[in-house]
Every structure is written in C-alpha cells, then in structure tokens.
C-alpha cells in the first residue's frame, strides 16, 4: 500500500485508564483506587498516582492497602464503562490515522505509516497526542517503532530505549516465561537474540520466538482497525417545506424503506424508532415509536406512526426529516409463507395500545416456581416477554384468587352451611384436603397462621369455592372461586 515508505506504528498505553475515567468527573488529589472482588477478597484494580507513590500497587488486597494508607478513597471498578471509555479514545485517535485498533484492555495501536507528515513529522504528532491527553486528564505513554511489538515494548518499558536493552517482559510473554528466562541469565531482548533458538523452542514452545520475531519485524503483525458499529438512521432534506400529515407520512414511508433494508441485511429488528422533524424556524420535534417486538417490515411500522404524526405542529413548514432506530435487537430470518402472522397482529395491537397508555402498562401473566397459590404467577410487561407455553398445574386451581376472607365455621371438616359476603351457602360436595406449607425462607405476614388445608367446595347454590382451614390457628377462609 505504501511502496517505498517505512512502516511506523504507535502504541498508546493508558496505565491508569480506569481511575482517570472516574477522576475526570470529580478531580481528587488524595490517594484513590478502584477495587474489584476476586474470590473472597477485594483487591485494588486501578489507582491514581498519589496512591501509587505510597507503595500501593494493582492486585494488593484492600486490607493491606488500608494498613499502609488509612485515608485511601475507593470506588467499585466498572470494566464495562472502562471498555466504553477506551472506545471513545479510539474514535478520538482516528484523527491521526484511519488504522486504529485496541491493544488489550488499556491501550491502542495506530498504523501511522504515510500520515506523520500531515502533523509536521513524528515528533510533532507525538507531542500533539501528549498535549491532548494532558488536557483531558488521562495518563498516556507512547511507543513509536517500525513494528507493533517494538512499539508496545517502548510504550511499556521506555520510549527512547534501544529494543535490545529492554527486558524480556517487553515481548508480551507470560510472567512464568519471564521468570524462567531470567533464571537462565536471559534478562534482555538482546540476550535472547544471541541465544540458540532450538533449545528455546523446545523448552518454551513457539510463542516466545514468535513474539521475538514480531518485535524484530521478521514476522508481520498487522494492525486491524475495529469496525464501526452499523448506524441505523436515514434522513431527507426537502426542497420545499411540507406541513400536511399525508406529506409527512409519505416522507416517513420513504425513510422507512432503506432503514428496514439495512436492518434486514444485518439480521436486526427495531424496538424503538425516533422520527425527528426540523421546521424552517430551526425548531425540532420528535415522534417516538416503541414497538412491542423487534420489527423491520415497513408496511407494518408505517401505520403505527400515524398517531404521533397527528400531534406534530408543523409551524411554517418542515424542511428536514430524520428517522433513526434507537434500539435494535437480533431478528432471525423467516421463511416466506411459513410465518405465523397471528403473533404479528398481536404485537401490532400491543404497540397501538402502548402508544396511548405506555407499553409497560400492558402486562401478561407468567408462571413462577412456587407452591404458594398467590405466588405461582407474576405479571410482566407484554412487550418484553413471550407468552408462556409450559404452564404446569399439578392440582386444580381456581380461576379467581383474592386475599383470604374469613368465614364463621368450627372444626377441621368443611362446614355444612356458612355465610360469605352476606350470602348463605350449603355445601354439596367437598374435595380435599390439600395441605400447603408456607415457604419458610420468606417472611410473609399472610402466612403467619402456618399450614393450610385447602378444600374445593361445590355449593348447592351453584358457586364453586376454594376454602382452607388453618390447623395451627384454627379458622376457615375463602380464597378463590372456580369457573
């Protein structure tokens, strides 16, 4: 690609990436560290310069760190946020060259071959990187070399050092290998170069010599840039302002078609869509559409925008519209003609009702693992769950459940006559008992009476009730009614 141009690689290492991310929002000069639980112990994950100057180091237990520095301020580590912050730095580094990849969890690697002259040379480029990170409050160490391995070694063990004088740990090998090499008297990369290769390969395997050859340039090690995530958005600038609802819906349809095509190519479906309408006076309005299920069918999505578009105030006209899939989810490809459209119609209905009352307010029942009748189910949002197909009821349960209501009766056998809700009932047939014990691992005031003996009572008046008797605290209650 760059014929006649010497290859140049820059390694950017952020030795305190996690702590810098936290302290950028709330600067703190006192000793500070992020902690992470490993096994049964809390250990230091990343610390600032003040804590490091007191002898604290990464991997030290929190108890030992407190003994050395009682004033140490701590926060829990968030590796997910650290990875996101490194992604932000990667996008920033693309101002220097397009070939930017990640180097572990706290570094970046840049192939700046052919682009250093745009910044006035290599030194000027490195100076600009240092100045930018100093302003951002992020510690940075740089390494520049002709190979990726040499650039990594200089960033971690000395920017201006000769590669042969650096320790063998700079070859990105494991700690056990480094210790074994030091015992053999091979402490630097230069010592390793002068050693016989065959015994090293037999003892340490091919990885050690591979790392050495990569650092020296004998084996290529490319820089693979991280692909940009797909962006699901389309926009249209109109030559003349529009204001009619039909015109807005027509433009929305034209925006939906390429968006759904892109979603189909990526095997994704939209769960939340945002339609932005910019007026000629530069004011903007947004219409949000939250779908009950992932969807990429433009013909089904378009009518769902109607209610939101009807509320838009076009003012003196709309001259730009933008449609973005804010939230997407994987959606498998379906064979044409084999799909069950009843589920699609139900999801469309849930979406239409959800635009009025909110998707979270449309709920469905799901089974739960509990032998307590009132705990054997739960309600969940219908838009974020699938219908349960494995309802397993080992014994008959009433179609209606309500809090236990006491009735006047004596004895452990079902009463022949009793009054409930100001009505008198006569027992025709009693089926039971079914003894249910409370869940001892939960504190539930409703089950403070202890065991319950449930009976299915068919009354002569036609009602089929569910009664239970509490033998530990004698009493009769009605809790449900069968169909």
């Amino acid at each position: 690609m760059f014929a006649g141009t010497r290859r140049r690689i820059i390694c950017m290492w952020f030795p305190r990436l996690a702590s810098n991310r936290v302290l950028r929002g709330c600067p703190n000069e006192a000793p500070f560290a992020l902690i992470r639980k490993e096994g049964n112990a809390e250990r230091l994950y990343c610390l600032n310069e003040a804590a490091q100057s007191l002898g604290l180091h990464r991997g030290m237990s929190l108890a030992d760190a407190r003994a050395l520095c009682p004033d140490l301020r701590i926060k829990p580590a968030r590796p997910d946020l650290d990875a996101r912050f490194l992604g932000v730095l990667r996008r920033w580094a693309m101002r220097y060259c397009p070939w930017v990849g990640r180097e572990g969890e706290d570094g970046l690697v840049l192939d700046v071959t052919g682009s250093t002259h745009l910044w006035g040379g290599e030194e000027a480029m490195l100076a600009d990187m240092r100045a930018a990170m100093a302003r951002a409050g992020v510690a940075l160490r740089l390494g520049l070399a002709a190979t990726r391995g040499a650039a990594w070694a200089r960033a971690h063990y000395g920017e201006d050092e000769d590669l042969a004088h650096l320790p063998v740990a700079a070859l990105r090998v494991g700690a056990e290998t480094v210790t074994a090499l030091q015992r053999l008297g091979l402490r630097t990369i230069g010592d390793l170069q002068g050693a016989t290769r065959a015994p090293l390969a037999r003892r340490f395997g091919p990885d050690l010599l591979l790392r050495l050859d990569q650092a020296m340039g004998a084996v290529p090690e490319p820089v693979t840039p991280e692909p940009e995530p797909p962006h699901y958005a389309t926009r249209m600038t109109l030559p003349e302002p529009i204001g009619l609802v039909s015109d807005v819906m027509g433009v929305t349809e034209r925006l939906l078609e390429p968006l759904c095509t892109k979603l189909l190519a990526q095997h994704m479906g939209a769960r939340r869509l945002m339609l932005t309408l910019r007026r000629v006076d530069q004011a903007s309005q947004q219409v949000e559409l939250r779908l009950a299920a992932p969807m990429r069918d433009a013909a089904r999505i378009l009518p769902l925008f109607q209610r939101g578009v009807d509320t838009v105030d076009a003012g003196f006209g709309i001259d730009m519209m933008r449609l973005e899939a804010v939230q997407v989810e994987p959606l498998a490809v379906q064979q044409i003609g084999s799909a069950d459209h009843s589920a699609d119609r139900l999801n469309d209905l849930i979406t239409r009702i959800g635009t009025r009352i909110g998707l979270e307010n449309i709920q469905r029942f799901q089974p739960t693992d509990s032998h307590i009748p009132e705990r054997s189910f739960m309600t969940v949002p219908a838009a974020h769950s699938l219908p349960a197909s494995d309802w397993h009821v080992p014994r008959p349960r009433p179609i209606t459940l309500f809090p236990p209501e006491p009735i006047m009766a004596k004895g452990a056998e079902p009463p022949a006559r009793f009054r409930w809700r100001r009505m008198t009932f006569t027992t025709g047939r009693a089926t039971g008992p079914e003894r249910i014990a409370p869940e001892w691992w939960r504190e539930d005031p409703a089950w403070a009476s202890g065991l319950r003996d449930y009976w299915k009572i068919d009354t002569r008046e036609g009602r089929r009730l569910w009664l239970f008797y509490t033998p530990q605290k004698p009493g009769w209650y009605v809790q449900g009614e069968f169909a």
Side-chain angles (χ1 to χ4, degrees):
M1 180 180 294
F2 299 101
T5 303
R6 186 178 57 164
R7 192 179 185 211
R8 304 302 285 167
I9 305 295
I10 293 179
C11 181
M12 305 177 69
W13 178 39
F14 308 98
R16 290 185 286 274
L17 177 72
S19 60
N20 288 152
R21 175 188 62 81
V22 177
L23 295 178
R24 286 180 71 246
C26 50
N28 182 14
E29 299 297 334
F32 173 82
L34 297 174
I35 60 172
R36 189 175 183 181
K37 192 169 184 179
E38 297 180 6
N40 294 326
E42 291 182 331
R43 299 187 178 275
L44 302 188
Y45 175 74
C46 187
L47 34 84
N48 65 351
E49 190 174 359
Q52 195 170 3
S53 63
L54 296 176
L56 308 184
H57 58 85
R58 185 170 183 171
M60 175 184 287
S61 67
L62 180 59
D64 294 341
R66 288 288 194 192
L68 292 176
C69 181
D71 298 332
L72 179 66
R73 299 183 180 181
I74 61 173
K75 277 190 176 181
R78 290 289 304 275
D80 56 332
L81 298 183
D82 298 337
R84 186 182 305 177
F85 183 50
L86 185 61
V88 174
L89 294 175
R90 185 194 65 83
R91 290 193 295 270
W92 163 80
M94 292 182 67
R95 67 196 298 260
Y96 299 103
C97 69
W99 294 85
V100 182
R102 296 182 186 239
E103 187 68 76
E105 298 180 352
D106 55 1
L108 300 173
V109 57
L110 296 77
D111 190 343
V112 297
T113 306
S115 62
T116 55
H117 70 281
L118 301 175
W119 297 84
E122 295 176 354
E123 294 299 327
M125 177 182 284
L126 296 177
D128 186 82
M129 293 178 179
R130 293 190 183 95
M133 289 294 96
R135 291 191 300 268
V138 178
L140 172 65
R141 294 182 62 178
L142 296 171
L144 174 64
T147 64
R148 181 173 180 174
W152 187 94
R154 287 177 175 167
H156 288 74
Y157 291 93
E159 296 185 19
D160 301 324
E161 291 290 335
D162 186 2
L163 192 62
H165 298 158
L166 295 179
V168 291
L171 291 178
R172 298 173 292 173
V173 294
E176 296 180 357
T177 303
V178 172
T179 303
L181 289 172
Q182 290 176 347
R183 290 174 179 173
L184 295 176
L186 304 175
R187 300 183 179 277
T188 65
I189 297 178
D191 297 337
L192 193 61
Q193 284 183 283
T196 306
R197 295 174 64 94
L200 293 176
R202 285 195 299 268
R203 180 163 183 173
F204 299 102
D207 292 341
L208 174 62
L209 296 180
L210 175 63
R211 287 301 189 185
L212 177 62
D213 292 339
Q214 287 175 341
M216 296 304 168
V219 175
E221 187 179 8
V223 175
T224 304
E226 184 175 334
E228 292 292 333
H231 185 58
Y232 304 102
T234 55
R235 60 179 294 174
M236 181 179 293
T237 302
L238 306 174
E240 294 291 338
I242 60 175
L244 298 178
V245 173
S246 58
D247 294 338
V248 175
M249 292 296 294
V251 176
T252 304
E253 182 179 7
R254 296 183 62 180
L255 293 174
L256 269 172
E257 292 176 355
L259 178 62
C260 292
T261 301
K262 189 172 185 179
L263 290 170
L264 177 62
Q266 299 291 333
H267 304 290
M268 304 296 286
R271 281 300 294 261
R272 188 159 65 95
L273 295 164
M274 186 68 69
L275 179 64
T276 303
L277 306 98
R278 189 188 68 186
R279 304 189 312 194
V280 294
D281 59 356
Q282 302 303 313
S284 297
Q285 297 186 56
Q286 291 183 331
V287 177
E288 183 183 25
L289 178 62
R290 301 172 63 191
L291 302 173
M295 195 182 304
R296 56 170 177 250
D297 188 352
R300 291 174 53 200
I301 297 175
L302 181 62
L304 303 176
F305 270 108
Q306 185 69 49
R307 177 178 174 82
V309 171
D310 289 341
T311 63
V312 171
D313 180 12
F316 293 102
I318 298 169
D319 61 357
M320 192 276 289
M321 292 177 57
R322 182 175 186 270
L323 180 63
E324 180 182 6
V326 181
Q327 181 181 354
V328 296
E329 294 181 4
L331 183 60
V333 178
Q334 294 181 345
Q335 185 175 357
I336 297 175
S338 63
D340 184 8
H341 296 289
S342 60
D344 295 340
R345 291 192 293 269
L346 176 60
N347 291 328
D348 293 349
L349 176 62
I350 294 175
T351 301
R352 290 180 183 276
I353 300 176
T355 57
R356 292 174 168 83
I357 65 175
L359 286 177
E360 290 78 10
N361 295 323
I362 306 175
Q363 298 184 335
R364 62 161 51 103
F365 291 102
Q366 294 279 23
T368 59
D369 186 13
S370 176
H371 63 273
I372 303 299
E374 57 267 32
R375 292 185 189 151
S376 60
F377 65 92
M378 63 179 177
T379 56
V380 296
H384 304 288
S385 61
L386 296 175
S389 58
D390 56 347
W391 282 89
H392 177 65
V393 183
R395 296 178 180 272
R397 290 291 182 262
I399 193 172
T400 303
L401 278 176
F402 41 79
E405 299 177 3
I407 59 175
M408 296 298 296
K410 294 182 179 180
E413 296 296 325
R417 292 176 60 87
F418 59 93
R419 287 184 59 83
W420 174 62
R421 293 184 179 179
R422 299 182 181 181
M423 295 180 288
T424 302
F425 294 94
T426 304
T427 300
R429 183 177 62 178
T431 306
E434 175 191 352
R435 173 160 290 187
I436 298 180
E439 295 175 340
W440 56 266
W441 57 92
R442 294 183 180 178
E443 294 184 2
D444 189 351
W447 282 76
S449 56
L451 300 173
R452 294 181 181 179
D453 291 336
Y454 280 88
W455 294 80
K456 181 180 178 182
I457 304 298
D458 296 337
T459 65
R460 297 185 183 278
E461 290 74 16
R463 307 288 288 270
R464 306 173 66 196
L465 303 177
W466 208 36
L467 279 66
F468 69 85
Y469 173 72
T470 54
Q472 295 175 327
K473 294 183 179 180
W476 281 92
Y477 301 84
V478 181
Q479 192 182 3
E481 184 172 5
F482 292 88

